[in-house]
Amino acid sequence: MNFTLHVWRQAGPQAQGKMVTYHVKDISPVSSFFEMLDVLNAQLVESGEEAIAYESDCLEGICGCCSLMINGKAHGPDRGTTTCQLHMRRFKDGDHITVEPWRAKAFPIIRDLVVDRSAFDRIMQAGGFVSVNTGGAPDGNAIPISKEEADTAMDAAQCIGCGACVASCKNASAMLFVAAKVSQFAHLVQGYSERRRRVLNMVEAMDREGFGNCTNQHECEAACPKEISVRFIAELNREYLTANLTSI
Ligand code: SF4
């Protein structure tokens, strides 16, 4: 398969960026999107040009690194799919494909398609953990928690922190990410005792990082490769309100 790629190139955080057009030939339909980009990079290096910088790690859809806007969609055209799980057979031979980085003030560009997502790390450091000493992993059946609660916690825990929700939101809101992380711990017995302090600290950290506000348009849920539901945002709002009322 042959493709024409329009890729955002930017030498550094302060440099002027621009779209650059490249052609790649003889790409196997079973190649992943990153294998196709690797072919392009090999081509660029061979011709003495600077390789395109992009981020990937696990290539199994769980690390959250592969932050690419593909044809204007976070992680590309498929629902519930990370960029590393996207294959070239999803496109038509001869297609033009636009590849851009996440664009959000809180995710500044480092180079080309790589953005700095450490804002998420700082939100997690503000409360996204359980500080109770829980010891080793207990037997699943010994955890005093209902199946429904455990399922809800696991649904929320599927968030891989990729930032697609931010990149696809017109306000660059991080509400779906924060909601998933707050809910993940609020539904666990171990996380329950710190839930009030956690939600207040994490929302404060989110605001400090400069993310926008949620206006309930659900673009985040549509773009999320882990299909995290916006109902967690409603839960985050409830948790936040309750924490505020009970901390007065
Ligand atoms: S909520 Fe979904 S889109 Fe947002 S960071 Fe988590 S996995 Fe990525």
Side-chain angles (χ1 to χ4, degrees), residues 26-221:
D26 302 325
I27 300 293
S28 163
V30 297
S31 295
S32 72
F33 203 83
F34 285 116
E35 284 168 326
M36 182 275 297
L37 287 179
D38 288 346
V39 169
L40 173 58
N41 265 349
Q43 215 172 276
L44 291 178
V45 170
E46 231 168 76
S47 62
E49 282 183 62
E50 196 72 45
I52 300 164
Y54 48 84
E55 229 189 327
S56 68
D57 188 7
C58 75
L59 302 180
E60 292 179 344
I62 52 172
C63 74
C65 281
C66 50
S67 42
L68 297 182
M69 293 299 276
I70 299 167
N71 287 344
K73 296 218 160 126
H75 293 293
D78 292 333
R79 269 192 96 106
T81 306
T82 55
T83 300
C84 67
Q85 297 170 307
L86 177 66
H87 290 87
M88 298 317 294
R89 59 179 174 266
R90 182 63 178 76
F91 300 91
K92 289 200 293 297
D93 188 31
D95 266 359
H96 284 238
I97 305 173
T98 303
V99 191
E100 297 166 275
W102 285 174
R103 292 192 191 273
K105 193 171 134 217
F107 290 160
I109 290 183
I110 297 173
R111 185 186 181 92
D112 296 334
L113 304 170
V114 181
V115 300
D116 178 356
R117 286 179 296 118
S118 57
F120 272 11
D121 296 334
R122 290 188 288 276
I123 292 173
M124 292 304 286
Q125 285 158 7
F129 49 81
V130 172
S131 56
V132 178
N133 187 356
T134 55
D139 180 83
N141 292 329
I143 299 172
I145 187 172
S146 75
K147 175 79 167 69
E148 289 76 18
E149 287 288 301
D151 284 350
T152 305
M154 287 307 292
D155 285 349
Q158 286 198 66
C159 168
I160 55 174
C162 64
C165 46
V166 174
S168 56
C169 172
K170 66 176 185 180
N171 301 328
S173 168
M175 286 284 272
L176 193 62
F177 165 73
V178 176
K181 295 304 178 187
V182 163
S183 298
Q184 165 186 342
F185 295 113
H187 283 272
L188 290 178
V189 171
Q190 295 91 334
Y192 195 87
S193 62
E194 295 171 298
R195 63 193 296 188
R196 307 275 185 251
R197 192 174 63 216
R198 176 182 304 114
V199 69
L200 293 175
N201 288 347
M202 289 182 79
V203 168
E204 193 192 320
M206 171 181 78
D207 290 342
R208 207 168 41 234
E209 293 293 340
F211 292 104
N213 289 321
C214 172
T215 45
N216 282 314
Q217 304 211 328
H218 301 187
E219 284 295 329
C220 52
E221 183 185 271

